[in-house]
Amino acid sequence: MKKFLSFALLLGSLFLANVQGQVGFVYNGTTYQDGDEMNVAIAADAHSIRGITLKNLGISALQNMVVTITPVEESGISAWGVCAGGNCFPQLTSNAFNMAPGYEDDAFSIDIDIDNSVSNPHAVYSVNVSNGNVSCTVKMNVQVGTVGIDRAVAGATMSAYPNPSCGAVAISYELNQPATLAIVDMQGRTVRQLTVEGNGTAMVDDLPAGIYAYGILGSNNMKKLIVK
């Protein structure tokens, strides 16, 4: 009897894990699920946060899903609307919508206003999609970059070495064109910024140990940097 109960509990926990893992957000080819953090870079003339896909990762249909955006910190960025499930709403909570197996909402976005008179505009949002049974909440760190960034620069391939790093880190991108590179912390704040052409070196020995993101300001191509 005890073995049967243990087996039943195991099946129940596996089912719950599968249900909780059915929905997520995809950004720059990376899938973010419940409890994850994502760093998002936007241009200073942006009117919405885009490029994020809301996706049903499971094999079952999800009914009555609702997206809720909760501001944790806003400095120069104000969120006021959300697009989800094929509709846009002038508030931070969507109406209920259904997600078929494999459903991808690549029109998902958060409408914002940016006050560029504020130094280093950034924001942190808690983004939740849930129907009460299936739920996913991610922390979204939003950093404002530059106006009118060149598309070739924004799409350039980047790398950092060494990564993890405890001293100097060399950041390079495959393009012979000047660009502004930045290192951003998990609160969306720029902690290092440098103008480079092809490659550059940033000192990180004075930064607290932790996870950061680096990339070209104004692009959606931010990558993870670990500081020891």
Side-chain angles (χ1 to χ4, degrees):
M1 184 63 179
K2 288 184 178 179
K3 289 184 178 179
F4 176 78
L5 287 174
S6 297
F7 182 68
L9 289 171
L10 177 60
L11 286 179
S13 64
L14 289 175
F15 173 77
L16 180 60
N18 180 59
V19 168
Q20 294 294 330
Q22 278 190 332
V23 64
F25 297 87
V26 181
Y27 179 65
N28 280 341
T30 300
T31 299
Y32 297 87
Q33 294 182 265
D34 192 52
D36 289 341
E37 293 190 19
M38 69 168 73
N39 295 301
V40 179
I42 58 176
D45 57 351
H47 298 287
S48 61
I49 302 169
R50 297 182 180 274
I52 301 167
T53 299
L54 176 61
K55 186 173 183 179
N56 180 351
L57 303 170
I59 59 174
S60 301
L62 301 176
Q63 307 293 324
N64 300 318
M65 302 301 290
V66 174
V67 172
T68 302
I69 312 297
T70 303
V72 178
E73 177 185 353
E74 289 184 315
S75 177
I77 301 177
S78 299
W80 57 269
V82 60
C83 293
N87 294 291
C88 294
F89 309 92
Q91 68 267 343
L92 297 183
T93 300
S94 74
N95 287 351
F97 58 94
N98 300 329
M99 301 175 67
Y103 172 92
E104 295 186 16
D105 185 359
D106 55 9
F108 170 81
S109 64
I110 303 172
D111 292 318
I112 58 171
D113 290 322
I114 299 177
D115 182 358
N116 286 296
S117 67
V118 175
S119 177
N120 185 31
H122 65 275
V124 179
Y125 297 107
S126 175
V127 184
N128 172 264
V129 55
S130 172
N131 65 1
N133 295 315
V134 179
S135 181
C136 173
T137 301
V138 299
K139 182 179 180 182
M140 181 186 296
N141 304 304
V142 183
Q143 178 71 41
V144 171
T146 56
V147 177
I149 186 169
D150 185 274
R151 289 189 177 183
V153 174
T157 300
M158 295 177 297
S159 62
Y161 182 84
N163 189 6
S165 176
C166 59
V169 57
I171 301 175
S172 63
Y173 62 97
E174 296 177 359
L175 190 71
N176 293 322
Q177 183 174 337
T180 301
L181 294 178
I183 298 176
V184 181
D185 66 14
M186 288 294 99
Q187 283 69 51
R189 297 174 299 215
T190 300
V191 295
R192 288 291 182 278
Q193 183 171 317
L194 60 156
T195 300
V196 299
E197 184 169 350
N199 57 75
T201 301
M203 297 302 299
V204 295
D205 56 328
D206 61 329
L207 295 180
I211 298 176
Y212 297 80
Y214 72 93
I216 299 171
L217 282 181
S219 77
N220 289 326
N221 187 19
M222 301 295 284
K223 293 189 175 184
K224 183 165 69 173
L225 173 66
I226 300 174
V227 175
K228 291 183 175 181

